[in-house]
Amino acid sequence: MTHWFHRNPLKATAPVSFNLYGVASSPAANKICNDLRTTRARLLDAFTDATCTPEIMKKSSDEYFALLQGFILPLDGTTQENKLRFIQNFKWTDSLQGNIASAQQDAVFELVSMAFNVAIWYTKFASRLAGKENITEDEAKDVHKSLRIAAGIFKTLKETHIPRLITPAEKGRDLEPRVIDTYIVQIQAEAQEVTIARAIELKHNASLIAALSFETANFYQKADHTLNTLDPECSSKWKKYLQLKQHFYMAYAHCYHGQTLLAGDKCGEAIRSLQEAEKFYSRAEALCKEYRQTKGPGSTAKPSEQLFFKKLGTFIKNTLEKCQRENGFIYFHKVPAEAPALELKASYGLAEPTPFELPPLSAQCTPEVYATFDLTKGPKEDKAKVKHDEEIKPVKEPDLKPQKDTGCVVS
């Protein structure tokens, strides 16, 4: 379904020449610099190529990261810092902060910023694929797989690579914990949406669907709360999306829990659970309007216009009416004042991030070639210098054209 997921913009970056004149004192060293420039440009082009596939993205990112590690990993047989790590300046914008760039003269900053964009690309690919008309089972699996890959990249960056930065991330920037944690949790929740849609389509047990929906709603709530202390100017729209998804899946949880209660001859409790589902659904509808009216970075999702969203409202209404009819003819149960507690734990279907590993170091980056980089012959720049005053043009992303909504439940 087109426009089901909210997506923040890709990070933009200034061109990098890798022209280490004088420093790269051998043909092999110069070739590494040239290849870094071309593989970086190729990877940046892939981000905005609507025909790019996960296979192409992995190949392009692996080629660049394999070479870039020659500026990060120790290559002289010691444990000392790679002498090339701080030789090149890199400038990147942030997905929430507009066009003003941060700059660090640090190859690790380049690694985490570029990998961050790779992760965002996987989420956008998943969103684009989910928007296809009559999505197939294999395509739904690719959506699920791409989201888990993205979550794995963010998780590895947070745990392994971002802590290596000399200059820590500033508040509200992409690489600080609140932002990257929100991405991780949101993506896991979206992957579980695919599982829920599949479970509904195959008519799995109502208790499983209720538990998965409850877990997914909790993920969205956790992501929303993670952004509580972020500047509202850049996070309000994102938060509204997380809130509407939380309420939508709480409605799902109460609806399917009501079905479970009815199957257990607890008609009064089933009615109360479905009434609670109606409340959450109505709030989700209101939040959809608030989300559309809230200004902020990112593409605007339109979940309330999707048949998947509308079908739930109809399903809740019909199931509640059925329960009320049966209670009037068969059960005569009192409807409790409080909604039944959702003490649900999913045993299956929870989405875990796919572990992310960098490719092996390029065969070009040998200790012998490393020795031919002579830092005494090049201009030295301030390693700790960080500029925030340069504006970089945003990435021109391909348009996501709406397709006919067939009501396919694979979201």
Side-chain angles (χ1 to χ4, degrees):
M1 297 178 301
T2 310
H3 302 312
W4 181 252
F5 299 120
H6 172 90
R7 290 292 175 258
N8 290 325
L10 285 162
K11 295 162 70 70
T13 182
V16 179
S17 67
F18 291 101
N19 288 332
L20 304 182
Y21 298 123
V23 174
S25 60
S26 72
N30 274 312
K31 186 176 188 315
I32 287 175
C33 293
N34 290 335
D35 288 351
L36 276 165
R37 181 171 61 253
T38 56
T39 55
R40 186 182 200 264
R42 191 181 303 132
L43 178 53
L44 292 174
D45 285 343
F47 290 143
T48 57
D49 182 355
T51 65
C52 183
T53 64
E55 292 74 24
I56 294 171
M57 178 54 62
K58 177 161 176 54
K59 182 175 183 293
S60 298
S61 58
D62 278 358
E63 286 174 350
Y64 181 56
F65 291 147
L67 286 164
L68 186 63
Q69 287 182 93
F71 280 40
I72 297 172
L73 300 176
L75 297 175
D76 58 359
T78 71
T79 57
Q80 292 184 340
E81 203 71 74
N82 187 308
K83 66 184 179 184
L84 302 174
R85 175 176 170 179
F86 304 109
I87 199 169
Q88 178 69 59
N89 199 41
F90 300 96
K91 299 173 184 177
W92 284 90
T93 63
D94 290 87
S95 61
L96 298 177
Q97 300 286 347
N99 303 333
I100 304 301
S102 298
Q104 289 193 35
Q105 200 159 313
D106 186 349
V108 173
F109 177 67
E110 167 72 356
L111 173 68
V112 295
S113 298
M114 189 67 83
F116 193 103
N117 245 19
V118 172
I120 289 181
W121 180 88
Y122 273 103
T123 70
K124 288 176 180 282
F125 173 79
S127 181
R128 194 161 60 244
L129 187 58
K132 284 187 65 176
E133 190 176 338
N134 297 319
I135 183 171
T136 66
E137 182 179 340
D138 285 343
E139 287 169 336
K141 288 178 181 178
D142 285 341
V143 172
H144 191 264
K145 180 181 177 181
S146 295
L147 291 169
R148 291 176 59 226
I149 288 172
I153 294 172
F154 283 128
K155 188 171 186 287
T156 302
L157 292 180
K158 178 198 171 188
E159 294 175 352
T160 305
H161 301 292
I162 292 175
R164 293 191 61 198
L165 289 171
I166 302 298
T167 305
E170 295 182 42
K171 290 183 178 180
R173 298 282 176 176
D174 283 341
L175 305 183
E176 74 118 315
R178 290 174 300 176
V179 175
I180 207 159
D181 279 343
T182 303
Y183 274 113
I184 294 169
V185 177
Q186 175 189 332
I187 294 164
Q188 285 183 268
E190 290 177 346
Q192 286 178 198
E193 288 192 60
V194 180
T195 306
I196 292 168
R198 180 70 174 157
I200 293 168
E201 188 175 29
L202 296 179
K203 295 180 169 54
H204 276 294
N205 192 292
S207 62
L208 172 62
I209 296 170
L212 278 172
S213 298
F214 184 56
E215 298 268 18
T216 302
N218 287 339
F219 267 123
Y220 277 120
Q221 184 180 54
K222 180 182 177 182
D224 173 41
H225 289 175
T226 305
L227 291 177
N228 277 348
T229 54
L230 218 60
D231 182 1
E233 188 176 339
C234 63
S235 65
S236 291
K237 190 176 188 69
W238 197 5
K239 282 175 63 65
K240 288 292 183 185
Y241 166 76
L242 299 169
Q243 290 164 13
L244 75 86
K245 281 294 186 77
Q246 180 216 340
H247 283 77
F248 181 68
Y249 281 100
M250 281 298 290
Y252 250 117
H254 279 286
C255 178
Y256 277 88
H257 186 50
Q259 283 197 315
T260 303
L261 291 168
L262 180 61
D265 294 325
K266 298 178 180 179
C267 196
E269 291 181 49
I271 290 171
R272 186 63 188 86
S273 191
L274 285 151
Q275 289 172 340
E276 197 71 5
E278 276 192 325
K279 288 181 183 178
F280 275 105
Y281 185 78
S282 295
R283 181 58 184 145
E285 286 184 309
L287 282 164
C288 284
K289 294 178 183 177
E290 292 174 24
Y291 166 72
R292 284 197 300 270
Q293 294 165 357
T294 303
K295 293 183 179 180
S299 61
T300 300
K302 300 174 183 176
S304 61
E305 297 179 10
Q306 312 300 325
L307 287 180
F308 185 65
F309 189 98
K310 294 175 181 177
K311 277 182 176 180
L312 176 59
T314 304
F315 186 55
I316 292 170
K317 180 176 178 291
N318 292 343
T319 309
L320 177 57
E321 289 175 353
K322 175 188 174 184
C323 288
Q324 289 170 332
R325 283 197 306 272
E326 297 203 6
N327 200 42
F329 280 106
I330 303 170
Y331 295 103
F332 304 104
H333 290 169
K334 182 179 178 180
V335 178
E338 296 292 326
L342 293 177
E343 297 174 350
L344 307 172
K345 191 74 178 172
S347 303
Y348 309 98
L350 295 179
E352 288 296 327
T354 300
F356 170 68
E357 292 184 1
L358 288 169
L361 177 69
S362 170
Q364 294 175 241
C365 303
T366 65
E368 292 75 23
V369 176
Y370 178 75
T372 66
F373 284 93
D374 187 354
L375 266 60
T376 65
K377 295 181 180 178
K380 292 185 178 180
E381 298 182 43
D382 181 5
K383 296 176 184 178
K385 184 166 62 178
V386 180
K387 298 177 183 177
H388 297 290
D389 56 353
E390 182 176 351
E391 191 164 305
I392 295 176
K393 289 182 180 179
V395 177
K396 186 171 176 55
E397 302 184 37
D399 291 332
L400 186 63
K401 295 180 181 179
Q403 298 190 35
K404 182 181 177 183
D405 188 357
T406 60
C408 175
V409 294
V410 179
S411 61

